[in-house]
Amino acid sequence: MIVARFKARLPPEMWIADVSEAMPDATFRLLSGVQIDDGAVELGEAISDDPEAIGAAVADHGSIYDISVLATDNRRVLSKYVTTDTELYDLVSASSLPVEFPVVVRDGWYELDLTGTRDEFEAVRQALDASGRAWELLSLVHDESPAGIVTERQEEVLNAALRKGYFEVPRECTLAELAAAIGIDKSTTSRILRRGLHRCYSGA
């Protein structure tokens, strides 16, 4: 298995490229998203000294519609919206890898984590090269642990999730509550859960 983190230049026609380059000091985080027939439904947050201005810029962009502001404070705005921009999903679909959230965007660049086989990562690399846009590999870790065996940290988080009822239907605790119980942040908890489940079910 390969665990890789890279950053890539956003296509200039994407709304997030427009907005993030216009506000280079802001940080945008795509927290979740799912592709639909005519675009993608996404949950995203922006962190900035002027979140109101960012929220207005996103809402006014031609690639965004059906936007709902879910929360805001003096540094952050959280929104759910539909976008016609699906480049990110098109990129990872070339390798059959899922998008690992959160995806972080700053000043026209996005950073993304991927976990997969050498062949899957090679398919992503080829897609990035074919795009003609600048990209950079930030880290690459070869996981040589036995197939199907979770790490100690993954086992710890998975067991905590089971004890807390995170996998129950309906869930008996939220991701935030699980993260607080373990003592790590939400994004790290989510990443460990995904990778642990991937190893359990794929045997790789």
Side-chain angles (χ1 to χ4, degrees):
M1 295 295 294
I2 290 176
V3 181
R5 182 171 184 82
F6 66 90
K7 70 175 184 179
R9 172 69 73 178
L10 288 158
E13 65 273 12
M14 289 185 69
W15 73 267
I16 189 61
D18 287 344
V19 177
S20 65
E21 289 176 358
M23 301 176 175
D25 293 331
T27 297
F28 299 82
R29 298 175 74 242
L30 176 60
L31 303 177
S32 65
V34 59
Q35 196 165 5
I36 56 177
D37 290 340
D38 55 351
V41 181
E42 297 181 341
L43 179 69
E45 70 173 356
I47 303 168
S48 166
D49 290 333
D50 192 355
E52 185 175 338
I54 289 184
V58 172
D60 290 342
H61 199 280
S63 298
I64 298 291
Y65 59 100
D66 287 349
I67 186 168
S68 300
V69 175
L70 304 180
T72 185
D73 57 31
N74 61 351
R75 286 281 298 162
R76 170 179 170 269
V77 58
L78 176 68
S79 302
K80 177 183 176 184
Y81 52 85
V82 180
T83 177
T84 55
D85 292 337
T86 60
E87 189 273 353
L88 174 62
Y89 306 94
D90 296 338
L91 171 67
V92 296
S93 69
S95 64
S96 74
L97 290 172
V99 177
E100 294 190 25
F101 300 104
V103 177
V104 178
V105 174
R106 298 183 185 92
D107 194 16
W109 291 76
Y110 67 83
E111 295 183 10
L112 182 67
D113 293 320
L114 290 176
T115 304
T117 64
R118 183 183 299 275
D119 288 344
E120 288 169 333
F121 180 73
E122 180 63 17
V124 172
R125 187 194 65 77
Q126 291 176 0
L128 286 166
D129 287 341
S131 73
R133 296 188 304 278
W135 68 280
E136 178 183 346
L137 184 64
L138 300 177
S139 66
L140 183 67
V141 177
H142 294 268
D143 184 357
E144 303 297 344
S145 55
I149 304 300
V150 298
T151 66
E152 289 184 7
R153 188 55 162 162
Q154 289 166 350
E155 183 178 9
E156 176 189 352
V157 173
L158 287 168
N159 284 335
L162 286 169
R163 291 194 305 270
K164 292 287 185 179
Y166 182 76
F167 297 118
E168 297 296 323
V169 180
R171 282 180 174 165
E172 296 176 1
C173 82
T174 66
L175 180 61
E177 291 168 339
L178 176 61
I182 301 169
I184 56 179
D185 62 77
K186 282 174 57 178
S187 61
T188 301
T189 302
S190 177
R191 184 165 60 251
I192 294 172
L193 279 173
R194 285 196 307 272
R195 290 176 179 171
L197 289 171
H198 177 76
R199 294 186 68 83
C200 287
Y201 289 111
S202 71

